[in-house]
Amino acid sequence: MEIPYVVVIILFCLGMYTIITKKNLIKIVIGVTIVESSLILLLMLVGYIPGGTAPILDKGYELVVDPIPQALALTTIVIGGSVTAVMLAMVIKVHKRYRTLNIDEIRKLRG
Amino acid sequence: MSRLNERFKKLYKIGLVITFAVFLLFLFYDIHNLDSDSKRYLSEHYISEGLQETGATNLVASVLYDYRAFDTLGEATMILTAATILAFLVPITKATMFGTTFKSIVNQTVKLIIPYLAVLGAYLLLFGHISPGGGFVGGVVLSIIPILLTITYSVEFSEYIFKPDQKKLVEDIGAIGFVLLGLLGVLTGSNFFASGQAYFRTGNAGEVFSAGLIPYINLMIGLKVGAGLAIIFNSLIKEK
């Protein structure tokens, strides 16, 4: 077990903790993005081999890292950006309707 | 009583997260100990044959735009969907960005930076298949230009330079062009999004006009991502 995996777990759990415990909607969106970045780090780690260079074939480089997880990381980044944008739009809508971002107060206002 | 209850709830949540962490620890331990030969079976093929089959020295580009272009189509659809949902959810009522209290030095610096950003974005787009870069990265760099204009000057100025309808048009051109380029593979009797396998001119590896359809697909994706991100940012920041 290497240290980077532990970093991934710590980041992931920080994000999950933020999502579970925080009351502010913006903070929940931030938690989701933290979870996303931990996933990107995990993808990088799965494809890594010791001593490998970036997957751009050039003269003199024999050992390159796995290109598939890097492509998947690009997918993750794009989808994460889109999802974050949609979540923020929803937060704007919620704030416009209830004038607050606290989940408990929103629940109270709905009765 | 209620305070005790709340503290118990918090402890419960912390315990939940810690349990999850232990689960992940075991999971990653298994991932780490996977047999490395079976893990790299597919990527070995991409690494050893990718250059001959697609003509792109950037293997990530060859995976994204040739072997797995379907995935990329899905990503492009995600951005289109996000921009559409934003236009639906955040209907533009007022364009009231903060009254640009930046000092004039910031404005002058932005003016100087923008041409370099345009050149960098164009470089990343055009050389995506032979260097680190590609459509997504180039598109993001290009979308920084309207975003910078919005932040330093105002939404009105940014939309006077880049009209929303024009941005939408560019995004649509990117999406439709991407699919049409994919159909070229079908016309030559191969499968959808085939470029290297369909014997499009793979050319000499390392030249700009090589690697079959990959440079053109890169360009389309770049237009799409750049316009899409600019639309998303402007619609989010417009709401007061």
Side-chain angles (χ1 to χ4, degrees):
Chain A
M1 198 66 163
E2 289 155 20
I3 298 171
Y5 284 99
V6 180
V7 175
V8 171
I9 292 173
I10 291 172
L11 263 183
F12 195 103
C13 289
L14 266 180
M16 285 306 276
Y17 183 75
T18 315
I19 294 171
I20 292 175
T21 54
K22 295 298 174 195
K23 303 291 184 192
N24 194 321
L25 281 175
I26 295 282
K27 285 180 183 169
I28 292 175
V29 174
I30 292 172
V32 173
T33 50
I34 291 174
V35 171
E36 270 165 23
S37 38
S38 83
L39 286 178
I40 294 165
L41 189 57
L42 174 66
L43 282 170
M44 294 291 98
L45 280 173
V46 169
Y48 180 72
I49 42 175
T53 53
I56 295 160
L57 296 179
D58 213 343
K59 291 182 188 74
Y61 292 124
E62 287 299 313
L63 197 64
V64 295
V65 299
D66 204 341
I68 302 172
Q70 303 214 354
L72 289 179
L74 267 177
T75 314
T76 316
I77 292 167
V78 171
I79 291 175
S82 312
V83 169
T84 310
V86 173
M87 280 193 296
L88 285 175
M90 286 178 172
V91 169
I92 288 175
K93 278 314 240 192
V94 166
H95 186 257
K96 214 176 183 182
R97 182 152 161 70
Y98 295 110
R99 287 285 149 208
T100 174
L101 286 177
N102 194 318
I103 306 177
D104 287 345
E105 281 182 36
I106 290 169
R107 217 171 269 151
K108 228 180 279 168
L109 284 173
R110 286 193 65 188
Chain B
M1 184 62 202
S2 70
R3 185 184 286 173
L4 198 74
N5 205 2
E6 227 157 63
R7 190 168 290 173
F8 180 72
K9 252 185 189 169
K10 199 158 196 176
L11 270 179
Y12 171 70
K13 282 168 181 169
I14 292 173
L16 213 64
V17 171
I18 288 175
T19 323
F20 197 68
V22 173
F23 166 68
L24 282 181
L25 207 69
F26 282 111
L27 194 71
F28 287 169
Y29 191 70
D30 279 350
I31 288 178
H32 187 60
N33 287 349
L34 268 183
D35 190 13
S36 57
D37 291 336
S38 62
K39 194 168 76 176
R40 284 172 60 86
Y41 170 71
L42 185 63
S43 40
E44 280 301 334
H45 175 81
Y46 289 165
I47 290 169
S48 56
E49 311 284 327
L51 188 54
Q52 287 90 42
E53 281 185 2
T54 64
T57 51
N58 186 350
L59 288 175
V60 177
S62 76
V63 171
L64 267 182
Y65 303 117
D66 195 339
Y67 291 116
R68 297 189 171 213
F70 258 130
D71 291 6
T72 315
L73 183 64
E75 286 166 55
T77 320
M78 280 294 289
I79 295 180
L80 186 69
T81 317
T84 317
I85 289 175
L86 273 178
F88 179 69
L89 272 184
V90 194
I92 286 86
T93 46
K94 265 179 258 164
T96 43
M97 181 77 181
F98 33 86
T100 68
T101 50
F102 286 111
K103 293 270 163 34
S104 62
I105 190 163
V106 178
N107 298 347
Q108 295 301 321
T109 319
V110 166
K111 264 185 208 163
L112 285 176
I113 286 174
I114 282 175
Y116 292 104
L117 277 179
V119 171
L120 177 65
Y123 173 80
L124 286 173
L125 276 186
L126 290 176
F127 289 74
H129 53 297
I130 46 183
S131 71
F136 286 104
V137 191
V140 171
V141 171
L142 284 182
S143 78
I144 291 173
I145 298 172
I147 290 174
L148 267 183
L149 282 181
T150 308
I151 291 175
T152 42
Y153 298 98
S154 64
V155 177
E156 289 91 344
F157 183 73
S158 162
E159 301 217 318
Y160 173 72
I161 302 287
F162 302 101
K163 308 239 180 343
D165 293 345
Q166 290 173 356
K167 279 186 284 197
K168 200 69 203 153
L169 185 69
V170 171
E171 197 186 10
D172 293 347
I173 287 173
I176 294 170
F178 187 36
V179 176
L180 287 181
L181 283 173
L183 282 176
L184 273 182
V186 178
L187 284 183
T188 54
S190 193
N191 38 15
F192 198 41
F193 284 123
S195 80
Q197 292 93 333
Y199 305 109
F200 284 112
R201 210 169 56 83
T202 49
N204 302 325
E207 287 178 5
V208 177
F209 293 105
S210 64
L213 291 179
I214 290 179
Y216 310 107
I217 291 181
N218 246 336
L219 188 65
M220 290 302 164
I221 285 286
L223 290 181
K224 184 159 173 34
V225 172
L229 284 184
I231 290 172
I232 287 174
F233 181 82
N234 262 21
S235 10
L236 274 180
I237 207 150
K238 252 182 190 168
E239 239 347 87
K240 202 175 76 165

